[in-house]
């Protein structure tokens, strides 16, 4: 028999649930245990359960791979969908730590805005946040439909822009 241990790389990407290691007959092929491996893998937030490369000794397992040694380890390499959003702002803004929020590819600003606002405090009662900008004070103003995409990078900065909320009336 062959003892196959399933692991996840990187470790924070997920875990293997169920029997691990598994024992199979010598000559068992990857397609014969692939469904078990897929079912046993549970991704953590920010990692894909659908897009996973399974590797042995650094090589992707293919349909012709068979297991013949007494022990072996195969690794699940799930696609990393995380985007790290760091909050910042002008001198009137204090951001609660950690200043970074993790979102996944495809998250819209409207789904992140409340969480971001909860971390940002304006420390002058005469001022309020007037806009949220991408990548600095003069960056793109975020709208509810703005979508965070991995194609734009794995990290970005959101800038809380403040403005005077006092109104001057002249009679």
């Amino acid at each position: 028999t062959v003892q196959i241990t399933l692991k996840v790389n990187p470790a924070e990407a997920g875990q293997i649930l169920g029997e691990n290691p598994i024992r199979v007959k010598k000559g068992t092929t990857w397609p014969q245990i692939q469904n078990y491996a897929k079912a046993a893998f549970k991704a953590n937030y920010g990692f894909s359960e659908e897009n996973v490369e399974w590797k042995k000794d650094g090589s992707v397992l293919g349909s012709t791979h068979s297991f013949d040694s007494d022990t072996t380890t195969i690794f699940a390499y799930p696609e990393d969908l995380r985007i790290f959003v760091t909050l910042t702002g002008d001198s009137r803004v204090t951001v609660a730590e950690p200043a970074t929020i993790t979102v996944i590819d495809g998250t819209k600003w409207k789904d992140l805005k409340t969480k971001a606002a909860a971390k940002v405090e304006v420390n002058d009662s005469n001022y309020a946040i007037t806009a949220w900008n991408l990548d600095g004070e003069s960056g793109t103003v975020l709208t509810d439909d703005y979508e965070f995409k991995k194609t734009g990078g794995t990290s970005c900065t959101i800038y809380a822009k403040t403005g005077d909320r006092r109104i001057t009336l002249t009679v």
Side-chain angles (χ1 to χ4, degrees), residues 77-166:
Y77 289 83
E79 180 184 4
D80 189 343
L81 303 171
R82 299 174 300 174
I83 300 170
F84 302 98
V85 179
T86 302
L87 302 172
T88 186
D90 61 32
S91 61
R92 291 180 281 276
V93 167
T94 303
V95 180
E97 290 296 329
T100 301
I101 299 172
T102 304
V103 299
I104 59 171
D105 188 49
T107 298
K108 292 197 175 193
W109 172 240
K110 67 181 176 186
D111 300 322
L112 177 61
K113 188 170 26 175
T114 304
K115 199 173 193 179
K119 285 186 154 287
V120 176
E121 185 180 329
V122 179
N123 48 35
D124 183 329
S125 61
N126 294 320
Y127 287 80
I129 295 172
T130 57
W132 296 90
N133 297 3
L134 187 62
D135 297 326
E137 185 174 5
S138 58
T140 306
V141 176
L142 293 173
T143 61
D144 283 351
D145 288 333
Y146 177 82
E147 200 170 341
F148 294 91
K149 300 295 288 173
K150 285 269 307 213
T151 52
T154 58
S155 63
C156 66
T157 302
I158 303 294
Y159 184 89
K161 191 173 186 176
T162 61
D164 195 333
R165 57 192 225 170
R166 294 173 289 184

Side-chain angles (χ1 to χ4, degrees), residues 43-93:
N44 288 340
Y45 178 79
F47 293 88
S48 173
E49 282 189 4
E50 291 78 35
N51 296 325
V52 180
E53 278 192 333
W54 290 88
K55 296 182 180 182
K56 177 183 178 277
D57 300 329
S59 298
V60 176
L61 293 170
S63 60
T64 59
H65 185 87
S66 64
F67 298 94
D68 298 310
S69 58
D70 290 342
T71 62
T72 193
T73 302
I74 58 176
F75 288 89
Y77 289 83
E79 180 184 4
D80 189 343
L81 303 171
R82 299 174 300 174
I83 300 170
F84 302 98
V85 179
T86 302
L87 302 172
T88 186
D90 61 32
S91 61
R92 291 180 281 276
V93 167

